[in-house]
């Protein structure tokens, strides 16, 4: 993951930072997919399912951001991804990696929010607020999953049972979510 500290790039306009965030979201989608495949190879289908859904969610984030730029008549580029980690030393390591990824993405969304507000781009600020709440939820979910992994002390059956019992993720679309590119609805 790139550095999570304040960089000179943070001084760029909101649409430029959002363009970068599209790449970060697509990268996160692929990283979740890589973690899901790893977990599936370890025969942990419930944990893999959490990551498959995470991949879909991050892809949807990028598509929402693309639609926002299109709606505002800003240029949109879809290009390469940052490096993807394809293998992990354990299921716990995969989850821990995703916690760090989510925390980093949250820091980037915070920069986007601050930039929009400081530059008076109130439409951009309103748009990005939904992502702040979504990141809060995602960090909480994956951090809880990591804590459960730690408490299970290697008994992945207990972790799988926790996912089934406690991590019910709604398949219903969020009516407050920004529109995704390529769709007529969320």
């Amino acid at each position: 993951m790139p550095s999570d500290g304040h960089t000179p790039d943070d001084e760029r306009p909101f649409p430029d930072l959002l363009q970068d965030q599209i790449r970060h979201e697509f990268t996160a989608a692929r990283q979740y997919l890589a973690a899901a495949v790893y977990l599936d190879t370890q025969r942990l289908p419930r944990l893999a399912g959490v990551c498959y859904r995470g991949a879909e969610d991050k892809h949807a984030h990028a598509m929402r951001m693309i639609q926002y730029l299109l709606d505002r008549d800003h240029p949109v580029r879809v290009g390469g991804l940052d490096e993807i980690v394809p293998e992990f030393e354990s299921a716990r390591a995969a989850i821990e990696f995703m916690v760090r990824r989510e925390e980093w993405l949250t820091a980037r969304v915070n920069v986007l929010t601050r930039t929009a507000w400081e530059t008076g781009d109130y439409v951009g600020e309103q748009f990005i607020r939904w992502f702040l709440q979504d990141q809060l939820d995602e960090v909480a979910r994956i951090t809880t999953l990591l804590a459960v992994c730690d408490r299970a002390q290697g008994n992945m059956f207990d972790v799988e049972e926790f996912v089934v019992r406690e991590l019910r993720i709604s398949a219903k679309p969020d009516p407050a979510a920004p529109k995704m590119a390529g769709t007529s609805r969320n």
Side-chain angles (χ1 to χ4, degrees), residues 3 18 33 44 46 62 78 81 85 89 91 94 100 104-105 122-123 128 130 134 146 165 170 174-175:
S3 164
L18 191 61
L33 180 59
L44 298 167
R46 305 300 187 205
V78 176
L81 302 175
V85 175
E89 62 184 55
R100 289 193 317 270
W104 185 83
L105 286 169
Y122 302 116
V123 173
I128 207 68
W130 181 86
D134 196 62
L146 182 61
R165 191 178 62 251
S170 175
D174 179 355

Side-chain angles (χ1 to χ4, degrees), residues 36-143:
V37 170
Y38 170 80
L39 292 165
D40 251 348
T41 65
Q42 300 302 304
R43 304 300 185 245
L44 298 167
R46 305 300 187 205
L47 280 173
V50 169
C51 289
Y52 283 123
R53 284 187 302 278
E56 293 169 4
D57 185 58
K58 294 304 176 186
H59 181 85
H61 281 194
M63 297 302 285
R64 286 179 169 89
M65 292 172 184
I66 287 170
Q67 186 62 54
Y68 172 86
L69 290 174
L70 290 170
D71 289 347
R72 299 287 309 270
D73 202 28
H74 290 290
V76 180
R77 295 173 319 281
V78 176
L81 302 175
D82 298 324
E83 185 176 346
I84 307 297
V85 175
E87 296 181 17
F88 304 92
E89 62 184 55
S90 66
R92 186 205 179 279
I95 300 304
E96 182 180 28
F97 184 88
M98 296 317 300
V99 166
R100 289 193 317 270
R101 172 69 65 170
E102 287 294 353
E103 289 170 343
W104 185 83
L105 286 169
T106 300
R108 299 311 309 162
V109 171
N110 284 332
V111 168
L112 280 160
T113 305
R114 183 183 68 235
T115 300
W117 184 79
E118 288 177 352
T119 60
D121 184 349
Y122 302 116
V123 173
E125 182 187 5
Q126 184 63 35
F127 168 76
I128 207 68
R129 282 178 186 253
W130 181 86
F131 294 94
L132 283 172
Q133 182 60 51
D134 196 62
Q135 281 304 125
L136 175 68
D137 296 343
E138 290 172 12
V139 168
R141 181 175 44 253
I142 201 85
T143 299

